Amino acid sequence: MAYETILVETRGRVGLITLDRPKALNALNAQVQDEIVRAAKAFDENAKIGAIVITGSEKAFAAGADIKEMQPKTYIETYMEDMFSDWDALTRVRKPIIAAVAGYALGGGCELAMMCDFIIAADNARFGQPEITIGVMPGMGGSQRLTRFVGKSKAMEMCLTGRMMDAEEAERSGLVSRIVPAGELLEEALKVAGKIAEFSMPAVMMTKEAVNRAYETTLSEGVRFERRVFHAMFALDDQKEGMAAFSEKRTAQFKNR
Ligand SMILES: CC(C)(O)CC(=O)SCCNC(=O)CCNC(=O)[C@H](O)C(C)(C)COP(=O)(O)OP(=O)(O)OC[C@H]1O[C@@H](n2cnc3c(N)ncnc32)[C@H](O)[C@@H]1OP(=O)(O)O
């Protein structure tokens, strides 16, 4: 099925999803949600793809869920359709997803970026959870994920006031991994994703799973999980190859098995 609200391309071993509703600042309506999730799942199932990048425009990664679509909804509609629950499928994608964020990442836009595995921000990026200003609260995970990223005090202030964070503050607070000039954002994100895609795919996927476990469990359980997965890696040909290549001072040729 074709995509109408996003552009979907491959760049080498990287799957690239670009939000493409410029007139609405990439506001996330039901169709955008469906298409992003569908494209990410297709890349996840494609053995030639090793990592995924999600990006928007220079003005807006996404200015939130589509307020005009949401405004007339009733409680029973949102409950029965379990509004926003389809985004959970994005967090079940097993390959790494990088959010390359320029401009506004507000409300659902900030929440979408936080569902990804890490965020690279352009120097003009602005993050916020402004739902309180339109009479609601975050509904795509913002109250939970933002709090885990930046701590209670800052998350509480942002959710209760709608204040936006610039890229510098987002980097200082641990929300983004680093900042690059806006004009270099996509190139840099693709470079990072391309590097990840060169590594052993099972090792990359197991690493993603282990880091994500840190958000879901206690420290002792997380460390035990990490150790068990680490042990399992010794069943991979890629472990033998990676360590042999180091000793033989050559580049590893991973077979993804
Ligand atoms: C998922 C949940 C539950 O967490 C909920 C949410 O995400 S609620 C949405 C949270 N986001 C916001 O409240 C931000 C809304 N947008 C803005 O405040 C501004 O648009 C801006 C500060 C991002 C940019 O301002 P400006 O440059 O002045 O552009 P505008 O003229 O305001 O916008 C251009 C155009 O885009 C439409 N737009 C912007 N954001 C949304 C949105 N979230 N939903 C629907 N449409 C949006 C805006 O209405 C304009 O369209 P036209 O009126 O010109 O047709």
Side-chain angles (χ1 to χ4, degrees):
M1 235 193 304
Y3 299 100
E4 291 171 2
T5 64
I6 59 173
L7 304 172
V8 179
E9 311 158 62
T10 54
R11 302 281 181 95
R13 300 201 60 226
V14 177
L16 174 61
I17 299 172
T18 307
L19 279 71
D20 190 27
R21 283 190 83 205
K23 286 191 187 135
L25 302 186
N26 291 329
L28 305 165
N29 63 15
Q31 185 177 358
V32 182
Q33 170 188 292
D34 172 67
E35 292 187 359
I36 292 175
V37 170
R38 195 151 46 83
K41 280 165 81 173
F43 282 139
D44 204 28
E45 286 160 13
N46 182 342
K48 293 188 183 131
I49 295 297
I52 300 164
V53 172
I54 301 182
T55 196
S57 69
E58 187 156 343
K59 173 151 186 187
F61 176 72
D66 191 315
I67 299 168
K68 295 165 191 168
E69 183 183 71
M70 280 186 295
Q71 195 274 338
K73 282 190 185 284
T74 62
Y75 163 70
I76 196 66
E77 284 167 353
T78 62
Y79 180 79
M80 292 309 284
E81 74 187 48
D82 203 5
M83 190 160 93
F84 300 137
S85 61
D86 287 353
W87 284 112
D88 293 348
L90 190 69
T91 67
R92 289 194 294 272
V93 167
R94 298 174 74 203
K95 290 174 186 165
I97 308 181
I98 301 173
V101 174
Y104 295 112
L106 302 179
C110 185
E111 293 167 303
L112 169 60
M114 291 190 292
M115 283 178 216
C116 298
D117 294 305
F118 60 96
I119 302 172
I120 300 179
D123 50 12
N124 72 340
R126 301 188 74 189
F127 298 88
Q129 297 291 159
E131 291 87 348
I132 198 74
T133 68
I134 55 168
V136 287
M137 60 176 277
M140 280 168 52
S143 65
Q144 306 304 300
R145 290 198 178 92
L146 188 64
T147 306
R148 282 167 167 80
F149 277 112
V150 305
K152 178 183 169 185
S153 194
K154 209 175 263 292
M156 191 68 96
E157 186 212 340
M158 288 178 69
C159 291
L160 290 181
T161 67
R163 179 177 76 80
M164 290 186 215
M165 222 189 229
D166 65 16
E168 296 280 346
E169 186 181 359
E171 188 187 32
R172 268 198 319 276
S173 315
L175 178 59
V176 311
S177 66
R178 62 202 168 87
I179 304 172
V180 298
E184 295 166 24
L185 176 68
L186 183 59
E187 184 190 341
E188 192 56 31
L190 289 170
K191 198 159 94 187
V192 175
K195 184 177 175 62
I196 293 169
E198 282 172 11
F199 296 132
S200 163
M201 206 185 298
V204 164
M205 289 164 67
M206 288 180 199
T207 302
K208 167 170 170 162
E209 203 177 335
V211 174
N212 279 337
R213 187 58 73 100
Y215 281 95
E216 308 284 350
T217 192
T218 62
L219 179 60
S220 59
E221 279 307 313
V223 169
R224 186 199 303 266
F225 179 80
E226 178 194 84
R227 199 178 300 130
R228 290 290 169 256
V229 178
F230 178 76
H231 295 161
M233 285 176 158
F234 286 74
L236 296 174
D237 292 349
D238 286 345
Q239 172 267 328
K240 299 285 172 290
E241 166 62 10
M243 293 189 180
F246 174 81
S247 305
E248 293 159 19
K249 300 189 191 302
R250 61 175 174 81
T251 306
Q253 301 294 320
F254 293 121
K255 299 270 177 5
N256 299 323
R257 60 176 190 242

